[in-house]
């Protein structure tokens, strides 16, 4: 079997399974083996029942105590047992498995692994995996089971089975990294790494395998960036523009003064756009530092010079928000420039209308999502492309724009805190500007890390804030990494919070599975303060700007990466009001407190990221994916910062020595899909 073999050749993969695999982007054996696990289940030692905490997945071992009960309705039968060890007793339930009554009838000891939830009458372990008798658990102890990204109908077991077959039957691939590099950086051999990432015997194998694959992923990426940078270096500026006189009048009329940092970055952009070569610039600035207005100035100047400018946002909600605020600004300050919104969820008819208006040059500023780079969009002198909160503007995307006319200026806005040394490696093809100053009217956000016992106090606090005219966000508890379960949680949570808050306060919710029009409606209503409390998943993580919101309550804060928490917190403290961020956690673990405390004491995104790195150390790879920055398959820019540095050095070495392996690397097609 070779990598190009269709997965249909695998035993047990029929038409139906093939379709399911296609859905997650797997059509060949090669695709399959590069479908890395999202995480691993670790079967750890049992913990004493008396020490079990809410929210955790744990293993307990104890004697079945008392009778097995089956209750509930016919459609939803609930089996309950009690399990007891020397330290305590815990209630355990299963749904729709009444036959367990017989299974457990003879008693004895059982080992159970599952999540513990706090119900009205105490802690309950819900629907755990059963090892009965207990000795069955020993085989599993300390092993790692891969967990794959799934789609409805495709089970983890099915992926595991196919994977095992593929890996056993696969011909060995050629090692494509030079021996010197492998020795120098202690990198595992390719075939070993691929096997080790899917079915590691232990953590050590996993770490080795992963390091090798992450290295390769980074190296490929860096090499293609270097190639891009070289080809970009002297790209002529086809859209030379000066500052239009109306710009300063516009700036003068704004309700605030630009900060020194905004002014500095704006001037850097102006210099670029007036120079001989095309602009490729990254603007970094912490959440709330005011990046949008800088982008708007660049877009406006482009439009006033008679060209088109486009701004691409990662979500429709954010695109709409930008569109609306730009329209508002232009209306308020009498700017005779027309803007348009273009998003994927618009009807064909609506889209066609916008396409026409773009093509004939009637609209000068176009805001949208990825829909902006569809083949059907033809621009009329597109001179500037801004991407907001897009972690990476793809090589291909720039090419796409260039195909449609000249080579536009590119401005990438990012709030992801990342140390300068890393930024230089990752954005090697871009010049970097930093907005390192917050607007003067801001009060620092007040933070606190609290346990769940504080929830009611937090609710009263929110009530008070709403009574003063403010608004709040609640980030809902994460239970599973599954979108549909998350959606249910959000809905349940919002319902119970609504009854808690009473009729005078409107609570609503937002989650990833909602229709775009619904999301837009909720965001618009929240923006107008028709909704006072918004319960949401992390879909509001980036960009959303409702300066009247002053409270951010994050449930299960321990389950998020610090960088992500910092972004979430950035949704408040965006206006003149004192804002608050409450990190709520059920975990009593010392490390959790330590980690969250970093946020508690700092509002500086750059500092938070590096402190987190220090605290977690490079060994902590089972943790949460920290950054989500640039969708690498495996690598994480923060977590694997050291490997990133190695890959960068290796890239220099390969280029300097004009090494043969450069012919194979970078695999341009694969890399550029990573860079989106
Ligand atoms: P981000 O950098 O997170 O994208 P935004 O550009 O959305 O931040 O700005 C956050 C808020 O700060 C917005 O409401 C914006 O109007 C306001 N803002 C931007 N610049 C200034 C400034 N110089 N002074 C006061 N408020 C500002
Ligand atoms: Mg923004």
């Amino acid at each position: 079997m070779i990598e190009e073999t269709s997965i249909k050749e695998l035993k047990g993969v029929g038409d139906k399974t093939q379709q399911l695999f296609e859905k997650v982007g797997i059509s060949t054996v090669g695709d399959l083996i590069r479908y890395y696990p999202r995480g691993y289940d670790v079967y750890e030692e049992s913990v004493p029942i008396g020490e079990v905490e809410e929210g955790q997945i744990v293993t307990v071992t104890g004697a079945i105590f008392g009778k097995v009960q089956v209750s509930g309705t016919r459609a939803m039968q609930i089996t309950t047992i009690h399990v007891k060890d020397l330290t305590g007793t815990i209630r355990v339930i299963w749904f729709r498995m009444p036959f367990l009554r017989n299974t457990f009838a003879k008693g004895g000891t059982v080992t159970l692994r599952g999540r513990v939830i706090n119900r009205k009458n105490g802690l309950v372990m819900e629907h755990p995996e059963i090892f009965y008798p207990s000795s069955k658990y020993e085989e599993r102890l300390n092993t790692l089971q891969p967990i794959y990204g799934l789609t409805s109908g495709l089970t983890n077991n099915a992926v595991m089975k196919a994977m095992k077959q593929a890996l056993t039957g696969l011909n060995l691939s050629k090692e494509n990294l030079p021996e010197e590099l492998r020795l120098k950086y202690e990198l595992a051999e390719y075939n070993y790494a691929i096997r080790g990432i899917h079915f590691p015997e232990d953590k050590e194998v996993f770490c080795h395998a992963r390091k090798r694959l992450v290295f390769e992923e980074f190296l490929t990426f860096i090499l293609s960036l270097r190639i891009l940078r070289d080809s970009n270096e002297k790209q002529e500026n086809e859209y030379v523009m000066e500052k239009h006189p109306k710009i300063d009048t516009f700036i003068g009329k704004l309700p605030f003064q630009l900060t020194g940092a905004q002014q500095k970055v704006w001037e850097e952009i102006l210099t670029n756009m007036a120079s001989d070569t095309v602009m490729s610039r990254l603007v970094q600035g912490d959440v709330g530092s005011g990046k949008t207005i800088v982008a708007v100035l660049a877009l406006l100047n482009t439009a006033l010079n008679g060209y088109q400018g486009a701004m691409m946002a990662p979500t429709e909600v954010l695109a709409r928000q930008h569109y609306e605020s730009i329209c508002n600004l232009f209306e308020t300050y009498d700017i005779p420039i027309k803007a348009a919104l273009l998003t994927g969820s618009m009807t064909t008819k609506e889209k066609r209308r916008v396409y026409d208006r773009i093509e004939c040059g009637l609209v000068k500023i176009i805001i949208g999502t990825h829909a902006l780079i569809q083949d059907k969009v033809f621009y009329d002198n597109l001179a500037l492309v801004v991407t907001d909160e897009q972690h990476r503007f793809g090589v291909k995307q720039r090419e796409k724009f260039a195909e449609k006319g000249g080579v536009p200026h590119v401005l990438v806005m990012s709030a992801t805190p990342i140390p300068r040394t890393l930024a230089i490696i990752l954005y090697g093809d871009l010049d970097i500007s930093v907005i390192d100053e917050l607007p003067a009217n801001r009060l620092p956000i007040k933070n606190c890390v609290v346990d769940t016992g504080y929830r009611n106090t937090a609710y009263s606090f929110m009530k008070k804030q709403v009574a003063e005219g403010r608004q709040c966000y609640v980030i809902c508890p994460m239970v599973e990494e599954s979108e549909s379960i998350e959606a249910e949680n959000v809905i349940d949570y919002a319902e119970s919070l609504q009854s808690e808050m009473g009729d005078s306060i409107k609570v609503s919710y937002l989650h990833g599975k909602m229709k775009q029009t619904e999301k837009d409606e909720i965001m618009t209503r929240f923006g107008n303060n028709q909704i006072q409390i918004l319960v949401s998943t992390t879909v509001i993580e980036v960009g959303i700007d409702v300066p009247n919101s002053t409270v951010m309550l994050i449930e299960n804060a321990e389950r998020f990466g610090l960088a992500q928490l910092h972004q979430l917190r950035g949704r408040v403290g965006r206006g003149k009001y004192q804002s608050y961020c409450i990190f709520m956690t059920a975990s009593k673990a010392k490390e959790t407190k330590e980690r969250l405390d970093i946020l508690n004491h700092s509002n500086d995104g750059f500092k938070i990221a590096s402190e987190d790195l220090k605290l977690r150390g490079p060994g902590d790879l089972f943790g949460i994916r920290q950054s989500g920055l640039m969708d690498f398959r495996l690598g994480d820019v923060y977590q694997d910062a050291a490997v990133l540095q190695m890959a960068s050095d290796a890239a220099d070495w390969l280029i300097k020595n004009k090494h043969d392996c450069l012919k194979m690397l970078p695999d341009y097609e694969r890399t550029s899909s990573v860079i989106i």
Side-chain angles (χ1 to χ4, degrees):
M1 204 186 308
I2 52 166
E3 292 205 3
E4 284 74 29
T5 313
S6 157
I7 48 157
K8 266 198 87 175
E9 305 288 310
L10 297 175
K11 262 188 257 136
V13 179
D15 285 343
K16 218 179 115 211
T17 318
Q18 185 192 15
Q19 275 170 18
L20 292 172
F21 273 119
E22 292 274 351
K23 257 194 172 165
V24 292
I26 300 172
S27 33
T28 65
V29 167
D31 298 335
L32 181 66
I33 63 170
R34 278 189 295 276
Y35 196 65
Y36 303 133
R38 298 212 312 205
Y40 300 82
D41 242 343
V42 190
Y43 288 82
E44 280 162 338
E45 302 270 359
S46 301
V47 299
I49 292 176
E51 287 172 23
V52 164
E53 282 180 17
E54 171 191 359
Q56 298 173 330
I57 291 184
V58 290
T59 306
V60 297
T61 299
I64 298 170
F65 180 64
K67 277 223 170 80
V68 186
Q69 297 155 6
V70 178
S71 58
T73 61
R74 247 183 108 80
M76 179 50 98
Q77 284 179 305
I78 298 175
T79 311
T80 307
I81 63 170
H82 290 84
V83 175
K84 184 180 161 115
D85 71 4
L86 291 173
T87 62
T89 307
I90 188 162
R91 191 154 58 100
V92 186
I93 62 169
W94 288 267
F95 306 107
R96 297 195 189 90
M97 292 169 80
F99 52 87
L100 286 176
R101 191 204 310 251
N102 298 332
T103 314
F104 292 129
K106 52 184 185 306
T109 59
V110 62
T111 296
L112 301 164
R113 181 169 188 275
R115 189 178 295 285
V116 177
I117 300 196
N118 197 4
R119 294 278 177 220
K120 282 198 191 81
N121 36 8
L123 293 179
V124 188
M125 181 178 268
E126 282 193 1
H127 218 80
E129 218 178 323
I130 303 166
F131 301 88
Y132 184 61
S134 276
S135 54
K136 281 197 179 159
Y137 191 67
E138 273 155 35
E139 297 157 27
R140 283 289 180 86
L141 195 59
N142 291 326
T143 61
L144 300 177
Q145 300 277 320
I147 305 170
Y148 294 99
L150 302 171
T151 179
S152 151
L154 187 67
T155 64
N156 203 51
N157 255 334
V159 183
M160 268 170 67
K161 252 172 83 185
M163 197 68 77
K164 279 195 176 133
Q165 250 190 83
L167 290 173
T168 337
L170 195 65
N171 289 333
L172 286 187
S173 303
K174 209 168 142 264
E175 171 60 62
N176 54 8
L177 283 182
E179 183 83 19
E180 284 133 294
L181 285 185
R182 291 216 293 116
L183 286 176
K184 179 161 181 202
Y185 298 114
E186 297 178 351
L187 303 168
E189 190 271 330
Y190 175 76
N191 295 285
Y192 171 92
I194 278 286
R195 287 183 164 78
I197 198 74
H198 291 290
F199 300 108
E201 284 113 54
D202 53 38
K203 284 195 186 184
E204 206 176 321
V205 175
F206 164 78
C207 287
H208 259 89
R210 186 176 178 283
K211 180 179 169 192
R212 148 76 203 223
L213 296 172
V214 168
F215 178 91
E216 188 172 327
E217 191 174 23
F218 284 157
L219 180 66
T220 319
F221 174 80
I222 292 166
L223 286 171
S224 74
L225 266 190
R226 301 274 159 99
I227 292 168
L228 183 74
R229 181 179 61 189
D230 294 342
S231 68
N232 254 351
E233 211 136 82
K234 289 184 194 64
Q235 286 219 49
E236 187 197 339
N237 181 359
E238 297 168 59
Y239 303 105
V240 180
M241 52 185 113
E242 297 293 333
K243 182 165 77 176
H244 193 277
K246 282 205 175 126
I247 287 280
D248 281 337
T249 329
F250 175 72
I251 294 178
K253 284 194 216 158
L254 287 174
F256 49 75
Q257 235 187 338
L258 292 185
T259 62
Q262 283 170 322
Q263 186 64 35
K264 179 191 75 192
V265 173
W266 166 230
E267 277 161 22
E268 286 168 344
I269 293 170
L270 275 176
T271 312
N272 274 162
M273 292 174 91
S275 77
D276 299 339
T277 50
V278 66
M279 170 169 75
S280 304
R281 184 169 289 279
L282 166 74
V283 175
Q284 266 199 349
D286 216 334
V287 273
S289 60
K291 292 181 292 296
T292 314
I293 191 69
V294 175
V296 170
L297 289 175
L299 288 166
L300 179 59
N301 194 44
T302 305
L304 289 170
N305 273 276
Y307 304 120
Q308 278 181 336
M311 172 137 104
M312 193 152 92
T315 63
E316 299 213 359
V317 167
L318 195 51
R320 177 171 295 272
Q321 182 188 289
H322 282 325
Y323 170 71
E324 280 168 5
S325 66
I326 285 179
C327 290
N328 270 338
L329 274 175
F330 289 2
E331 205 174 306
T332 316
Y333 303 114
D334 280 335
I335 306 272
I337 299 281
K338 285 211 162 50
L341 178 71
L342 183 62
T343 63
S345 72
M346 284 163 57
T347 63
T348 318
K349 206 171 139 201
E350 287 168 327
K351 276 188 207 151
R352 208 170 302 134
R353 201 176 98 91
V354 179
Y355 294 155
D356 287 345
R357 289 157 59 92
I358 295 174
E359 192 167 355
C360 71
L362 184 69
V363 291
K364 291 290 181 216
I365 295 180
I366 305 107
I367 318 285
T369 53
H370 268 85
L372 292 180
I373 47 172
Q374 297 305 305
D375 291 334
K376 290 179 192 141
V377 198
F378 293 96
Y379 292 94
D380 176 43
N381 268 326
L382 182 69
L384 170 68
V385 177
V386 182
T387 66
D388 184 39
E389 309 284 359
Q390 189 97 20
H391 296 321
R392 186 72 221 179
F393 184 67
V395 183
K396 287 220 161 138
Q397 285 148 345
R398 187 178 197 146
E399 279 173 1
K400 268 221 139 111
F401 281 119
E403 276 164 24
K404 294 175 177 213
V407 180
H409 297 288
V410 169
L411 198 55
V412 177
M413 323 292 282
S414 170
T416 313
I418 159 177
R420 199 168 175 92
T421 45
L422 295 188
I424 290 169
I425 299 175
L426 290 168
Y427 297 100
D429 56 327
L430 304 177
D431 297 325
I432 302 175
S433 298
V434 185
I435 304 188
D436 48 6
E437 180 186 353
L438 290 181
N441 66 347
R442 299 287 164 75
L443 295 166
I445 299 172
K446 293 193 172 156
N447 304 292
C448 60
V449 179
V450 297
D451 60 42
T452 46
Y454 184 83
R455 198 175 279 130
N456 284 332
T457 318
Y459 287 169
S460 323
F461 182 70
M462 282 158 58
K463 264 189 203 160
K464 261 202 218 132
Q465 286 284 307
V466 172
E468 286 174 25
R470 305 285 82 76
Q471 289 164 275
C472 316
Y473 297 99
V474 179
I475 302 302
C476 211
M478 290 210 298
V479 171
E480 296 289 338
E481 259 192 66
S482 142
E483 263 192 39
S484 52
I485 297 179
E486 242 181 64
E488 270 173 46
N489 277 332
V490 170
I491 297 169
D492 287 352
Y493 192 103
E495 232 168 61
S496 72
L497 187 61
Q498 178 70 77
S499 59
E500 190 80 31
M501 290 290 153
D503 290 342
S504 59
I505 297 177
K506 175 78 190 140
V507 179
S508 202
Y509 61 84
L510 202 66
H511 60 75
K513 285 219 143 175
M514 280 160 75
K515 279 208 216 99
Q516 193 52 49
T517 46
E518 290 175 308
K519 283 192 217 165
D520 288 342
E521 194 198 314
I522 296 287
M523 273 324 297
T524 309
R525 286 175 54 209
F526 188 66
N528 298 335
N529 198 0
Q530 288 160 305
I531 294 168
Q532 285 78 42
I533 302 181
L534 186 61
V535 179
S536 172
T537 58
T538 51
V539 291
I540 57 147
E541 183 179 331
V542 291
I544 296 302
D545 184 43
V546 180
N548 191 43
S549 328
T550 52
V551 182
M552 167 63 72
L553 166 62
I554 304 175
E555 294 268 3
N556 288 125
E558 74 280 4
R559 305 237 181 116
F560 298 92
L562 290 196
Q564 196 180 11
L565 288 172
H566 180 62
Q567 293 295 324
L568 285 168
R569 170 169 67 186
R571 297 311 114 222
V572 298
R574 300 175 78 84
K576 58 179 186 282
Y577 306 110
Q578 177 62 54
S579 293
Y580 307 85
C581 186
I582 306 166
F583 301 103
M584 192 164 288
T585 168
S587 161
K588 294 192 176 65
K590 193 167 138 265
E591 301 87 68
T592 310
K593 282 267 187 283
E594 262 177 25
R595 272 187 71 226
L596 291 177
D597 251 8
I598 298 179
L599 287 168
N600 201 358
H601 296 301
S602 177
N603 274 325
D604 175 345
F606 287 81
K607 203 169 131 198
I608 289 167
S610 40
E611 291 278 311
D612 195 21
L613 255 182
K614 257 188 263 161
L615 195 65
R616 293 151 62 85
D620 183 14
L621 298 171
F622 291 94
I624 316 137
R625 239 176 115 86
Q626 190 52 254
S627 55
L629 176 67
M630 306 190 184
D631 254 333
F632 289 110
R633 273 172 196 251
L634 270 185
D636 181 280
V637 170
Y638 292 136
Q639 222 158 246
D640 304 310
V643 182
L644 184 61
Q645 187 63 56
M646 285 175 201
S648 171
D649 298 344
D652 291 340
W653 183 81
L654 290 172
I655 291 172
K656 198 169 136 229
N657 291 297
K658 298 199 174 65
H659 199 283
D660 272 353
C661 91
L662 285 174
K663 287 189 203 116
M664 291 186 287
L665 290 162
D667 177 347
Y668 185 74
E669 279 301 310
R670 228 168 85 199
T671 313
S672 42
S673 68
V674 170
I675 317 184
I676 292 176

